[in-house]
């Protein structure tokens, strides 16, 4: 049976990211203000760094809505500290694996730029002012040979960037016979750019042509035995279609895990990895706190056990949002016994702080508690020590500040 257009459209929009289940309170206006890390906040980040410094893989999560500006600032700081102090030598983003492989080529050629870093590591994050210090840091560390950069998302149409929207189609089609190259390149390009219209609808026939082209590319790339990067891209694109046409988010989770392992296996032995993604993907399990799926983190922890750690983020108050036309959303007031309240009150007698770090032991001692580390839009009661290995609790979240264009 031919896949439905609706299933493909849904996957293109938000598969693996759309966890919106409850309306939120809109804010008329939020004026963002960057707040540097004070002594107490920096000490809490140091506690986290010491806790995970010896791990082989550390997942730095975030709210599924990807709209936490203060979270972004903290994640940027953690990446720097973990690379510089603990020797993490690889970072893999929930971003285009296709553009990341193009970045790898450009780094090898010596002509990579910060724009290539942004293209490969996620325009979703780097449209935010709070994340701007990271691209130059990543580029310099990569040029110095201290850091390798990868992507693990198989979606070619999730905020397509320069490479995905321009050169990916022709590169994939390059392994086909001359008689098919132009037609398949056009078919893939239309999909990558979401350039469907009345003359070129995304109907069953279009999906069948796209599927046939990608299957032919996969077969030709595998038979050539040459460019393993191209073969891996073709396989990833095929898995994306498997996901989109069946509406199955587990396909994406398994593909992200496989690509993470592929990066690890081809990078120098002993390379310690950072993973930048939404917490919902890195969680050890979801235990009914998110739509039913087996997250990538479940396979990660099954293979590595305590050698891997997933760090989540949550907030007691504030707002979140990605800017643009949509106004920020205010976090609902936390219940009196919520994890966020208890985590920050525990140290209030010493000195009020803007954030607190809960390691696995403290999470376990708190038992079942209401909290929102997976999705700022919804609160769930859970034993979070069975889902996360550590949790940063922010006193106040802020929406991201869009970069001026």
């Amino acid at each position: 049976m031919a896949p439905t257009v609706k299933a493909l459209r849904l996957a293109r929009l938000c598969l693996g990211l759309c966890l919106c289940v409850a309306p939120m309170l809109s804010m008329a206006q939020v004026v963002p203000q960057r707040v540097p890390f004070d002594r107490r906040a920096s000490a809490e980040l140091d506690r986290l760094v010491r806790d995970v410094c010896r791990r082989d893989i550390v997942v730095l999560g975030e709210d599924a809505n990807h709209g936490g500006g203060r979270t972004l600032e903290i994640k940027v700081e953690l990446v720097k500290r973990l690379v510089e102090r603990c020797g993490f030598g690889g970072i893999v983003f929930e971003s285009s694996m296709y553009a990341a492989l193009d970045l790898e080529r450009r780094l090898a050629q010596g002509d990579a730029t910060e724009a290539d870093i942004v293209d490969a590591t996620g325009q979703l994050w780097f449209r935010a002012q709070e994340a701007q210090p990271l691209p130059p840091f990543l580029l310099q560390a990569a040029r110095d040979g201290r850091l390798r950069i990868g992507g693990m998302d198989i979606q070619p149409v999730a905020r397509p960037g320069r490479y995905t929207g321009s050169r990916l189609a022709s590169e994939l089609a390059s392994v086909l016979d001359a008689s098919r190259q132009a037609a398949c390149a056009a078919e893939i390009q239309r999909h990558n750019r979401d350039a469907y219209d009345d003359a070129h609808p995304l109907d069953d026939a279009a999906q069948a042509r796209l599927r046939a082209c990608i299957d032919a590319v996969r077969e030709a790339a595998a038979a050539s035995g040459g460019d393993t990067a191209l073969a891996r891209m073709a396989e990833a694109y095929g898995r994306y279609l498997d996901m989109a046409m069946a509406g199955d988010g587990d396909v994406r989770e398994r593909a992200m895990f496989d690509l993470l392992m592929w990066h690890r296996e081809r990078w120098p032995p002993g390379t310690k990895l950072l993973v930048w993604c939404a917490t919902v993907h890195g969680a050890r399990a979801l235990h009914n706190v998110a739509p039913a799926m087996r997250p990538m983190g479940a396979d990660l922890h099954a293979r590595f056990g305590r050698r891997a750690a997933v760090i989540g983020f949550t907030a007691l108050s504030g707002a979140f949002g990605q800017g643009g036309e949509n106004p920020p959303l205010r976090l609902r007031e936390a219940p009196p016994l919520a994890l966020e309240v208890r985590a920050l009150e525990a140290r209030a007698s010493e000195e009020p702080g803007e954030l607190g770090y809960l390691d696995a032991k403290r999470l376990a001692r708190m038992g079942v508690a209401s909290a929102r580390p997976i999705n700022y839009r919804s609160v769930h009661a859970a034993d979070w020590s069975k889902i996360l290995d550590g949790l940063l609790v922010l006193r106040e979240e802020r929406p991201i500040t869009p970069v001026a264009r």
Side-chain angles (χ1 to χ4, degrees):
M1 180 181 297
T4 66
V5 172
K6 181 179 180 181
L8 193 54
R9 287 285 190 190
L10 286 174
R12 291 163 62 85
L13 289 172
C14 61
L15 224 165
L17 297 177
C18 289
L19 302 176
C20 308
V21 295
M24 297 297 295
L25 302 176
S26 174
M27 298 180 66
Q29 183 179 15
V30 173
V31 180
Q33 180 180 0
R34 177 176 172 80
V35 180
F37 297 106
D38 60 19
R39 180 189 62 80
R40 170 72 180 280
S42 186
E44 290 298 286
L45 296 183
D46 283 342
R47 289 183 56 238
L48 189 161
V49 169
R50 289 193 298 269
D51 190 28
V52 303
C53 193
R54 296 179 180 274
R55 308 289 181 108
D56 291 339
I57 299 178
V58 174
V59 178
L60 299 177
E62 64 187 59
D63 158 61
N65 299 280
H66 300 293
R70 190 54 173 160
T71 292
L72 279 181
E73 288 177 340
I74 294 170
K75 288 179 70 170
V76 169
E77 181 67 17
L78 286 172
V79 168
K80 292 180 178 180
R81 295 190 189 193
L82 288 166
V83 170
E84 293 173 344
R85 300 181 188 180
C86 300
F88 280 82
I91 183 167
V92 180
F93 287 82
E94 181 194 336
S95 66
S96 168
M97 65 85 62
Y98 314 98
L101 288 176
D102 184 59
L103 169 65
E104 192 172 273
R105 289 193 291 259
R106 290 184 173 276
L107 285 167
Q109 294 165 188
D111 60 0
T113 66
E114 286 185 25
D116 296 316
I117 294 284
V118 172
D119 195 36
T121 56
Q123 296 186 41
L124 179 66
W125 293 282
F126 296 116
R127 292 179 302 118
Q129 187 65 44
E130 291 81 2
Q132 294 311 295
L134 191 55
F137 174 82
L138 295 177
L139 181 59
Q140 190 59 55
R143 285 174 173 170
D144 293 343
R146 294 184 292 123
L147 189 67
R148 286 166 173 78
I149 302 168
M152 62 181 181
D153 198 346
I154 58 176
Q155 298 180 101
V157 292
R159 302 188 185 278
R162 298 187 308 163
Y163 175 72
T164 305
S166 60
R167 304 192 307 278
L168 175 61
S170 59
E171 184 167 348
L172 287 171
S174 68
V175 296
L176 299 177
D177 293 338
S179 60
R180 297 196 66 183
Q181 277 189 25
C184 279
E187 204 70 54
I188 298 168
Q189 182 81 320
R190 183 175 299 113
H191 190 72
N192 292 350
R193 291 183 174 179
D194 195 17
Y196 295 103
D197 52 27
D198 291 342
H200 303 91
L202 180 59
D203 55 16
D204 289 352
Q207 293 179 56
R209 292 193 302 271
L210 180 63
R211 173 91 262 185
C213 284
I214 293 300
D215 286 346
V217 170
R218 292 173 79 174
E219 182 177 347
S224 68
D227 189 343
T228 58
L230 193 148
R232 183 62 62 164
M233 287 194 295
E235 178 188 351
Y237 206 113
R239 294 181 78 171
Y240 155 71
L241 291 178
D242 293 340
M243 173 202 79
M245 293 182 176
D248 185 353
D250 281 355
V251 173
R252 181 173 179 238
E253 297 298 317
R254 290 193 297 272
M256 287 197 293
F257 174 76
D258 289 344
L259 283 168
L260 180 59
M261 293 300 98
W262 180 64
H263 288 306
R264 182 175 184 269
E265 290 163 4
R266 67 196 186 92
W267 289 346
T271 299
K272 299 200 298 182
L273 301 184
L274 298 174
V275 182
W276 179 300
C277 66
T279 307
V280 69
H281 302 306
R284 290 160 52 187
L286 291 175
H287 295 305
N288 300 317
V289 300
M293 68 179 187
R294 178 179 172 83
M296 172 196 69
D299 290 324
L300 192 64
H301 282 76
R303 178 171 298 191
F304 294 95
R306 287 190 54 78
R307 292 159 54 204
V310 56
I311 305 301
F313 287 75
T314 189
L316 175 64
S317 63
F320 66 98
Q322 296 182 19
E325 297 179 358
N326 297 319
L329 301 175
R330 188 181 296 280
L331 289 166
R332 293 190 183 278
E333 184 177 355
L337 296 179
L339 181 149
E340 291 89 355
V341 174
R342 294 162 61 193
L344 293 170
E345 283 184 347
R347 291 173 172 266
S349 60
E350 302 174 16
E351 178 185 344
E354 68 154 314
L355 61 87
Y357 174 59
L358 301 178
D359 60 21
K361 290 181 179 179
R362 287 191 68 195
L363 278 176
R365 285 199 299 269
M366 289 192 170
V368 176
S370 296
R372 48 188 165 215
I374 301 295
N375 191 335
Y376 280 160
R377 294 175 181 264
S378 53
V379 175
H380 291 93
D383 181 348
W384 295 97
S385 69
K386 299 184 183 303
I387 298 172
L388 306 170
D389 298 291
L391 181 65
L392 271 171
V393 182
L394 285 62
R395 186 170 295 279
E396 184 177 7
E397 181 64 276
R398 289 186 283 102
I400 68 171
T401 309
V403 174
R405 299 293 183 184

